[in-house]
Amino acid sequence: MCNCNKGKFYITTPIYYPSGNPHIGHCYTTVACDSIARYKRMQGYDVMFLTGTDEHGLKIETKAAEKGVTPQEYVDEIVAIFKNLWEYMGISYDRYIRTTDDYHVESVQKIFKELYDRGYIYKGEYTGKYCTPCESFWTESQLVDGKCPDCGRDVIEAKEEAYFFKMSPFADRLEKLLTETDYLRPKTRAVELVNNFIKPGLEDLCVSRTSFTWGIPVTFDEKHVIYVWVDALSNYITALGYLNGKYDDYDKFWPADVHMVAKDIMRFHALIWPAMLMALDLPLPKHLAVHGWITFNGQKMSKSLGNVVDPMILGQRYGADAIRYHIMREMALGADSSFSNEIMINRINSDLANGFGNLVSRTVAMVIKYFGGSLITDREEGEFDSDLISMIEGLREKVDGYVEETQLQNALTEIFTLVARANKYIDETEPWVLAKDETKKTRLATVLYNLLEAIRVSATLLSAFMPATMPKALEQIGCTEEMATYENAGKYGVLPADVTVTKGEVLFPRIDVDKEIEALNEFIKNNA
Ligand code: MSP
């Protein structure tokens, strides 16, 4: 840990609907935010990492009724599953917000009233397409072939008294935010928002409902409950104590540095959330990082298609870190990523077992075999050294840049370029040949030291991404916690010249591809 305080850093995941168990898609955003939070802590930032669950709404009310439990009982059970998964995946959140928490409810009621008093919320009539069996309103564009997108049945034209949030006063400022600042990442997505929503004229947003009760009541009109987005989006500030006495972190941490979401909810975070903040006269978040979807063999993951990938099952088979690595390594910011068990297993084998794991085990084994575990301190430079050493020295800066831009795939690719370079260095320098010649002992020690240094720097930077395994790798190469710092990750020559290594467990066991594919297919079939 670094003592140099670089200031604060506030990062958030979406708050997930506990209407079903978490899947690999929820896992992606959470793991990505966790890795950034860990990296920033390592850099010396005072980090607030927030995640949570969005627990109100008709869908939860209906699901609870189907199960014969209260909505609160229903969400409590699923929230426990979310929290359990996050613990298993090594998610180091600082705060977990539930929209059913009293302090959040209190703040949201005050925010709603404030927006009303400022004239941005008004009472009107909601007209839409209504699906009676689902008790849901839909907009024309949400319908699928003119029918309810949830159940496929006919919809009717219906009206309901509702409160609305005025969007139009913010159109110009929103357009500027999206096109003239670096709020949105990737910025290329601004075009669709401007063309599809701002240019045609921003529609006011319906922010209350009277057709269900599982929600936060409007204090001055109790038959209304506050409809999802005002409740949900506010979590990013209520979790810091905005308009409640539970926490006192708003002044310190707001505005957020990064909100990370997938493209499905970009619109709400790119238009509605900034508009709400503008209406409240609050500072805007610095960045909105939007990633694509994890699809399954090219299809959108969905319960009804029976292709929901359970991260817990995968984690139990291959280790949480391998899953963390795979999903981050596969997803390019802004694009979708097709999940396939085969690609995952092959990647774990090639990058983690053969690439990183092998580098560590070979190097440690050679230090033990040729030097009894502790290197001699004499050195002799040779061919190939300078290339490897300059990569070791330059890696941190490159990774910093990618983490800063929330391009985690590139950050990992960069680290694994050094890992591959180090493996190639073994082939080039042929330590087993050097070992046969007593006069080459100093050269051999130099080669092995350089390899240990490559591992130290890679593993230190990787510890933000794979927090369970990397400390074990560092221990094996004789790198103490004090040495495994961010400062040292930018330098060559940190391990003591007479470093002592220890053989440890296999970091990433090789997976039998055919056997595992069969087992996973069987699993999917049984759970479809
Ligand atoms: N409750 C709202 C968010 C409110 S935030 C103020 C919601 N919840 S959700 O449970 O549907 O979660 C959506 C988010 O989960 C996505 O934005 C993304 O972060 C993550 N993902 C869910 N499925 C995903 C994939 N298949 N792929 C990648 N991410 C996915 O929307």
Side-chain angles (χ1 to χ4, degrees):
M1 198 56 67
C2 165
N3 319 327
C4 45
N5 195 342
K6 297 229 180 99
K8 69 89 188 174
F9 184 82
Y10 179 30
I11 184 164
T12 68
T13 72
I15 46 169
Y16 305 108
Y17 292 129
S19 50
N21 289 356
H23 59 63
I24 198 89
H26 306 112
C27 203
Y28 173 78
T29 322
T30 316
V31 161
C33 288
D34 180 65
S35 300
I36 297 174
R38 286 176 182 271
Y39 200 90
K40 289 284 169 182
R41 285 190 201 111
M42 185 165 80
Q43 287 183 313
Y45 285 87
D46 190 352
V47 172
M48 171 65 78
F49 168 24
L50 174 72
T51 189
T53 25
D54 183 1
E55 308 185 5
H56 294 121
L58 178 67
K59 193 157 178 189
I60 303 275
E61 197 177 85
T62 314
K63 289 226 166 187
E66 275 164 20
K67 237 187 139 186
V69 295
T70 65
Q72 190 66 53
E73 285 165 342
Y74 181 83
V75 292
D76 284 351
E77 198 175 304
I78 296 189
V79 168
I81 298 172
F82 268 88
K83 286 189 168 175
N84 188 34
L85 176 66
W86 298 155
E87 192 185 335
Y88 187 77
M89 283 287 157
I91 305 301
S92 62
Y93 59 78
D94 297 293
R95 202 157 284 171
Y96 190 101
I97 187 167
R98 302 184 54 177
T99 55
T100 49
D101 286 337
D102 289 347
Y103 73 89
H104 173 79
V105 170
E106 178 193 337
S107 291
V108 168
Q109 288 180 323
K110 289 181 186 161
I111 289 170
F112 196 93
K113 178 77 169 46
E114 182 66 31
L115 291 170
Y116 181 76
D117 290 344
R118 287 173 177 238
Y120 291 114
I121 281 181
Y122 64 93
K123 199 189 241 180
E125 207 167 53
Y126 184 82
T127 319
K129 304 289 176 189
Y130 188 73
C131 173
T132 315
C134 292
E135 291 182 52
S136 294
F137 271 101
W138 303 104
T139 61
E140 198 72 53
S141 63
Q142 286 172 318
L143 300 179
V144 176
D145 300 329
K147 307 213 185 270
C148 170
D150 263 5
C151 71
R153 280 179 277 213
D154 287 336
V155 289
I156 52 164
E157 191 80 25
K159 279 186 187 162
E160 179 183 309
E161 176 188 290
Y163 286 91
F164 287 84
F165 174 64
K166 282 186 196 161
M167 289 291 290
S168 45
F170 309 105
D172 289 345
R173 282 177 70 191
L174 288 171
E175 184 164 351
K176 283 205 174 79
L177 177 72
L178 299 177
T179 57
E180 292 174 21
T181 73
D182 64 350
Y183 175 61
L184 187 63
R185 284 180 178 162
K187 206 172 162 179
T188 44
R189 288 205 188 264
V191 182
E192 57 189 279
L193 290 164
V194 172
N195 290 347
N196 299 348
F197 299 103
I198 300 181
K199 288 248 151 62
L202 283 171
E203 276 177 34
D204 291 349
L205 176 78
C206 178
V207 290
S208 84
R209 286 294 159 85
T210 52
S211 53
F212 64 92
T213 56
W214 181 240
I216 301 178
V218 173
T219 45
F220 51 90
D221 197 348
E222 290 263 338
K223 71 175 188 296
H224 287 260
V225 294
I226 297 170
Y227 188 58
V228 291
W229 287 99
V230 171
D231 172 6
L233 290 163
S234 301
N235 92 89
Y236 301 129
I237 50 177
T238 65
L240 299 177
Y242 181 73
L243 299 185
N244 67 64
K246 170 88 174 170
Y247 298 112
D248 193 15
D249 298 309
Y250 174 83
D251 290 337
K252 178 171 174 192
F253 285 104
W254 191 255
D257 293 86
V258 178
H259 288 313
M260 192 182 285
V261 301
K263 60 185 185 182
D264 50 342
I265 54 173
M266 168 174 76
R267 179 163 73 93
F268 301 99
H269 288 77
L271 299 171
I272 292 163
W273 179 225
M276 275 174 65
L277 292 166
M278 287 171 192
L280 292 165
D281 263 326
L282 297 180
L284 303 184
K286 293 186 196 153
H287 301 294
L288 173 65
V290 181
H291 61 78
W293 279 329
I294 295 188
T295 55
F296 187 75
N297 294 336
Q299 274 179 314
K300 185 160 194 267
M301 234 179 279
S302 97
K303 272 238 155 75
S304 55
L305 292 172
N307 63 1
V308 176
V309 178
D310 185 341
M312 198 66 165
I313 302 284
L314 299 179
Q316 279 160 353
R317 294 186 91 88
Y318 316 118
D321 277 2
I323 306 308
R324 287 176 65 114
Y325 174 75
H326 172 68
I327 55 183
M328 286 190 281
R329 181 65 185 69
E330 279 294 302
M331 178 85 85
L333 187 70
D336 285 347
S337 146
S338 174
F339 184 92
S340 111
N341 288 319
E342 199 166 345
I343 295 175
M344 173 187 64
I345 292 169
N346 283 321
R347 187 173 284 293
I348 295 174
N349 277 346
S350 69
D351 294 9
L352 300 180
N354 297 347
F356 184 84
N358 216 12
L359 175 66
V360 176
S361 64
R362 275 165 100 190
T363 306
V364 167
M366 289 191 286
V367 177
I368 293 172
K369 185 166 173 200
Y370 304 139
F371 293 98
S374 301
L375 286 183
I376 55 167
T377 55
D378 289 343
R379 295 288 181 266
E380 182 192 328
E381 281 178 28
E383 209 190 342
F384 312 113
D385 292 8
S386 61
D387 190 27
L388 182 70
I389 292 171
S390 70
M391 278 179 83
I392 293 173
E393 288 172 336
L395 181 66
R396 189 189 78 175
E397 202 185 321
K398 290 185 181 154
V399 176
D400 280 0
Y402 287 130
V403 172
E404 203 51 50
E405 298 287 319
T406 46
Q407 296 182 21
L408 303 184
Q409 183 191 46
N410 292 339
L412 290 172
T413 306
E414 206 58 54
I415 303 174
F416 276 79
T417 306
L418 174 62
V419 170
R421 183 68 193 85
N423 271 321
K424 190 167 159 226
Y425 179 79
I426 301 184
D427 299 338
E428 290 165 342
T429 53
E430 299 183 312
W432 50 92
V433 176
L434 299 173
K436 289 196 187 122
D437 184 344
E438 203 42 41
T439 66
K440 305 252 170 76
K441 269 260 146 144
T442 41
R443 176 66 193 138
L444 178 59
T446 310
V447 165
L448 295 178
Y449 184 78
N450 290 343
L451 288 168
L452 291 172
E453 280 290 283
I455 296 169
R456 176 186 59 80
V457 168
S458 323
T460 305
L461 297 174
L462 280 175
S463 59
F465 302 89
M466 292 185 274
T469 318
M470 290 306 131
K472 295 180 194 162
L474 289 162
E475 199 186 328
Q476 291 187 20
I477 62 155
C479 178
T480 61
E481 243 173 81
E482 293 73 49
M483 287 180 225
T485 61
Y486 173 77
E487 274 65 49
N488 287 340
K491 292 184 210 152
Y492 166 81
V494 169
L495 289 171
D498 61 349
V499 59
T500 304
V501 304
T502 29
K503 192 170 157 42
E505 63 182 281
V506 175
L507 298 170
F508 299 103
R510 234 193 113 71
I511 305 168
D512 179 331
V513 183
D514 295 339
K515 205 172 110 212
E516 281 301 314
I517 297 285
E518 203 177 304
L520 290 175
N521 285 344
E522 192 61 21
F523 183 83
I524 291 170
K525 211 164 74 199
N526 295 339
N527 285 273

